[in-house]
Amino acid sequence: MSGERPGRSEQRLPKLRLDELLDELQARIDAARGTQDRVHSLLEAVLSVGRELDLPQVLRRIVEAAVVLVDAEYGALGVIGDDRMLSEFHTVGISGEQRAHIGDLPSGHGILGELIRHPEPLRLAEISEHSASYGFPPHHPPMHSFLGAPIRVRDQVFGNLYLTEKRGAAEFDAEDESVLSTLAVAAGVAIENARLYEETRLRERWLGASSEVTRALLSGAPSADVLELIVEQARQITDADVGMIAERVPEENALRPLLAVGLDADRRSGLVMPGQDGFVAAVLTTAEPVVSTDIQEDPRAVRDAAQWAGVGPVVGVPLEAGGKAGGVLLLGREVGRTPFTDADTRPLLGFAGQAALALELAERRRDAEQIALLRDRDRIARDLHDLAIQRLFAAGMTLQSAQRFIDHPEAEERLSRTVDDLDETIKIIRSTIFGLRAQGGTREGSGLRARVSDTVTAATSSLGFAPAVRIEGLVDTDVPGDVADHALAVLGEVLSNAARHAEAHSVDVYLRYAQGELTLTVTDDGRGIPQDAVRSGLKNMEERAAALGGDLRLGAGPEGGGTRVEWRVPVRPAKD
């Protein structure tokens, strides 16, 4: 009896099961290959991010890697500032033109702020359906699916990764979230490495700058050159746009800028900072850097103060020597730039101590020069008194004794006149001796610069406001006393006229000595010089200029209104 052969249906069933198993195996192989490829891409992304040491480049690489890994249309990395808002926002997928149309970058509200408030991974199928969402600004591209993850650096949240619009799917899945969270961990390590590298480079730059300043101090370089070196080095290292060093003048309740570098340095160099500026006062009374994120909105600062024009973020440190602040070092960035960080300001205090040392050395040098000058004057006065006067007096006595031996009337008259001339010469020499000793008692700071400041301060009450003052050149050392006296008389007359007749709201005083010429320019925004004005004051100013070989020019202010007085005279540098 022969056996029965199996039917076709029975043969087909194992084959179908085998095909299903093979398909499932192929699917698993493809999934494994896909997972392997994704792991490989993740490792490549981690290595790529870790290779960079420049922090801005690191942040850019992180966003680019995240967009590729989870196949997103748009990506962004927001850096969280001290105020728990976004201080930086790096984007991928949005063109420069789109960013310009959108306007200001986000600060950390809505969904972006949700991750700041709750630093945990967040995955959404539809952004608009979340309770924290309140829409997009005009010109913003449409976005629906969302995936976000925090970036931690040493247990602190540095910022957040934001990804939107999953390509080829309606939303991001759990695997995307896992990949992004893994990348965020690697990003935290890369950011920390970049920060350490940045701090090391910054420390090296500060050490190099300190060495350069120390060499300048030890070489006996002029204090003005050392101070300029200090403020310029600090400005460059902190990436500031403007730097100023101002010296404290207690008797004037103000700070007189020694110099300014960077943005509008020429205009800021001659300004007198008011002592009542709360920000500057805070710098003078603390031993730590004082930071303002925006000096224009800072309640401590004087509104519309000329030294803050065009400046936003500011940091100031005291120039402390001998336990007291002798001035301030101020650094500022233009309006709209990022504020100064702790890494920027931490080394600044020690560096400012070198500026204080330069000021103290300059003061000691001035004292030594003053003492040497006083000794010279005392010696000259003593020699004139002990030698010249005594000899002249003896010669006069001899001539008087000889008069009785002369019978000729004309000869006797000439001899008498000679004795009178000797007496007059003795009086002149005595007056010169008195003048030398009087000048020796002149207080420090009574040069032309300080006298101009005193004159302007005295006019403040009658004007009703403080004029702006700019002084350029070596006016204290190269302008002779007689020229300085004429310039002060002219300044007093112009300020008096402005107070009595101009009805001005602002007055700008500009004194400049350069290339053998002293120029005093006073500009106000008042009603100009009336046709029927008394010309006696102007005549006096013209005569003073003419007596020194100069001239006086009158005109309107820069905007076509007010008055501009320019008094210009040639100068031969003063000699001790």
Side-chain angles (χ1 to χ4, degrees):
M1 191 173 150
S2 61
E4 296 182 1
R5 298 178 64 184
R8 290 186 179 182
S9 60
E10 293 177 351
Q11 292 178 344
R12 207 177 287 130
L13 183 59
K15 185 177 180 182
L16 287 174
R17 288 178 179 172
L18 181 60
D19 288 343
E20 289 176 3
L21 288 173
L22 288 174
D23 290 342
E24 184 180 349
L25 180 60
Q26 184 64 46
R28 292 194 178 188
I29 290 173
D30 290 341
R33 186 180 293 116
T35 301
Q36 183 181 5
D37 291 342
R38 199 162 198 185
V39 170
H40 180 74
S41 298
L42 178 59
L43 290 175
E44 283 290 331
V46 169
L47 291 174
S48 174
V49 168
R51 277 195 293 265
E52 288 290 342
L53 288 174
D54 180 62
L55 186 56
Q57 267 308 108
V58 168
L59 301 181
R60 180 77 183 177
R61 282 286 181 90
I62 292 170
V63 186
E64 292 173 345
V67 167
V68 172
L69 281 174
V70 301
D71 203 16
E73 183 78 21
Y74 305 104
L77 191 156
V79 179
I80 301 173
D82 295 334
D83 57 355
R84 304 297 300 161
M85 302 298 284
L86 296 179
S87 60
E88 297 178 43
F89 200 71
H90 305 267
T91 62
V92 170
I94 295 178
S95 66
E97 185 178 352
Q98 284 178 307
R99 289 185 62 166
H101 283 307
I102 294 171
D104 294 336
L105 294 176
S107 56
H109 298 288
I111 293 295
L112 304 186
E114 185 70 14
L115 260 73
I116 297 175
R117 294 184 291 272
H118 304 99
E120 297 293 337
L122 178 64
R123 183 158 47 95
L124 302 172
E126 179 56 57
I127 295 175
S128 61
E129 293 178 359
H130 194 279
S131 58
S133 176
Y134 61 83
F136 297 102
H139 308 292
H140 196 284
M143 295 181 181
H144 300 282
S145 56
F146 175 87
L147 177 61
I151 298 175
R152 286 182 169 85
V153 177
R154 289 190 177 181
D155 298 327
Q156 289 188 341
V157 178
F158 171 84
N160 294 305
L161 274 169
Y162 307 105
L163 301 170
T164 62
E165 293 300 280
K166 171 74 173 178
R167 287 193 180 102
E171 61 180 305
F172 297 96
D173 56 25
E175 188 176 334
D176 293 328
E177 182 180 322
S178 177
V179 168
L180 187 64
S181 297
T182 304
L183 179 64
V185 173
V189 176
I191 290 169
E192 176 66 7
N193 289 339
R195 276 181 162 180
L196 291 173
Y197 178 71
E198 187 83 14
E199 288 179 8
T200 302
R201 282 201 313 170
L202 195 61
R203 196 176 298 115
E204 288 178 355
R205 292 186 68 187
W206 281 117
L207 287 173
S210 297
S211 298
E212 190 172 349
V213 171
T214 301
R215 283 196 299 271
L217 286 170
L218 294 177
S219 68
S223 59
D225 294 346
V226 177
L227 289 173
E228 184 173 359
L229 174 64
I230 288 170
V231 71
E232 180 59 30
Q233 291 277 19
R235 186 184 73 85
Q236 290 183 7
I237 294 175
T238 59
D239 192 26
D241 295 304
V242 62
M244 293 177 283
I245 283 187
E247 186 179 23
R248 196 175 194 176
V249 188
E251 62 269 19
E252 299 178 16
N253 188 30
L255 289 97
R256 184 172 58 245
L258 300 181
L259 56 91
V261 298
L263 181 68
D264 294 334
D266 292 340
R267 182 174 55 79
R268 298 180 207 272
S269 292
L271 294 173
V272 175
M273 293 187 186
Q276 66 269 24
D277 189 298
F279 182 83
V280 176
V283 176
L284 286 168
T285 55
T286 186
E288 297 294 330
V290 179
V291 178
S292 174
T293 57
D294 186 358
I295 199 70
Q296 303 297 333
E297 302 296 330
D298 197 314
R300 297 170 295 181
V302 172
R303 293 290 180 186
D304 301 323
Q307 71 266 20
W308 306 132
V311 178
V314 172
V315 59
V317 289
L319 305 179
E320 190 170 326
K324 64 176 183 178
V328 294
L329 170 60
L330 301 169
L331 299 169
R333 291 172 178 166
E334 287 190 89
V335 174
R337 291 194 59 195
T338 56
F340 291 93
T341 64
D342 183 58
D344 294 325
T345 61
R346 201 183 310 122
L348 197 56
L349 195 62
F351 193 67
Q354 291 190 305
L357 178 61
L359 285 173
E360 192 170 8
L361 288 175
E363 186 176 353
R364 296 273 197 266
R365 193 177 294 126
R366 285 196 300 266
D367 289 344
E369 290 171 355
Q370 187 75 3
I371 290 172
L373 181 61
L374 294 180
R375 286 175 176 167
D376 277 347
R377 284 174 172 164
D378 283 344
R379 178 184 56 77
I380 294 169
R382 186 171 57 250
D383 290 347
L384 286 173
H385 182 272
D386 295 345
L387 301 175
I389 289 182
Q390 299 305 325
R391 291 190 177 187
L392 290 173
F393 187 74
M397 292 292 292
T398 301
L399 291 175
Q400 281 182 325
S401 299
Q403 275 184 310
R404 61 177 177 266
F405 298 109
I406 298 175
D407 296 329
H408 195 285
E410 186 176 345
E412 185 179 0
E413 182 197 355
R414 290 187 178 183
L415 195 60
S416 178
R417 194 161 58 244
T418 301
V419 171
D420 292 339
D421 288 342
L422 286 174
D423 285 340
E424 189 63 30
T425 302
I426 291 172
K427 290 179 183 178
I428 292 172
I429 293 176
R430 288 187 186 278
S431 175
T432 301
I433 293 171
F434 178 79
L436 285 171
R437 286 174 175 163
Q439 289 178 34
T442 300
R443 68 177 178 87
E444 172 70 12
S446 62
L448 180 54
R449 186 182 296 269
R451 294 170 71 190
V452 166
S453 180
D454 291 341
T455 302
V456 171
T457 301
T460 299
S461 58
S462 56
L463 286 167
F465 57 87
V469 181
R470 291 183 295 159
I471 301 175
E472 292 181 9
L474 302 175
V475 296
D476 284 343
T477 57
D478 286 4
V479 178
D482 59 333
V483 177
D485 292 339
H486 282 296
L488 287 166
V490 170
L491 176 60
E493 179 68 26
V494 176
L495 292 177
S496 176
N497 289 342
R500 287 181 295 161
H501 308 301
E503 298 178 1
H505 297 90
S506 68
V507 174
D508 183 83
V509 177
Y510 179 32
L511 182 69
R512 180 174 184 267
Y513 171 70
Q515 298 178 348
E517 191 174 70
L518 182 69
T519 305
L520 172 65
T521 306
V522 182
T523 308
D524 67 59
D525 62 352
R527 58 193 184 96
I529 301 175
Q531 294 295 328
D532 58 347
V534 178
R535 314 292 290 189
S536 58
L538 296 175
K539 184 179 179 182
N540 289 339
M541 289 188 279
E542 288 175 344
E543 290 176 350
R544 288 181 183 275
L548 297 171
D551 59 20
L552 176 73
R553 301 175 186 178
L554 303 175
E559 302 298 329
T563 304
R564 184 176 187 273
V565 178
E566 185 180 275
W567 189 82
R568 188 191 301 262
V569 295
V571 171
R572 290 183 179 179
K575 303 293 183 183
D576 286 337

